[in-house]
Amino acid sequence: FEVGWVMATRFEYKFVRLTDSELAAPAAYQDAVHKHAAERWRLVQIFTPSTSFPDGAPAIFELIFERAAEHAEPSAAADGGGD
């Protein structure tokens, strides 16, 4: 019976905060996305945690990126569940 490793995909996340003025210029957020993509980050969501303008428009945006983590951990199933 051989002990093995199961490669479960684990992710790490990065949060990049942009203000409304930064997001108003397409080059600003596009540059942020391209820069992170070059580092193997994938944009998964744009979150607006607050609204502080009278018209209800968000003042802050968070770009949420994810990428696969670089390590693996042994699985109980791979080593027979500890038997």
Side-chain angles (χ1 to χ4, degrees):
F1 188 84
E2 184 175 320
V3 175
W5 288 79
V6 174
M7 296 298 289
T9 303
R10 294 184 183 268
F11 295 96
E12 57 183 325
Y13 295 90
K14 185 173 186 179
F15 301 83
V16 177
R17 185 169 284 197
L18 298 176
T19 64
D20 66 314
S21 60
E22 291 171 307
L23 218 56
Y29 66 83
Q30 291 173 1
D31 286 347
V33 171
H34 289 295
K35 175 187 160 222
H36 287 85
E39 298 171 1
R40 305 186 63 96
W41 290 100
R42 181 175 74 99
L43 178 67
V44 293
Q45 185 174 355
I46 299 174
F47 177 64
T48 56
S50 67
T51 57
S52 63
F53 292 117
D55 65 357
I60 297 170
F61 298 81
E62 285 189 349
L63 281 65
I64 304 172
F65 295 91
E66 79 173 3
R67 70 178 174 188
E70 296 286 328
H71 65 281
E73 296 181 10
S75 167
D79 68 9
D83 294 341

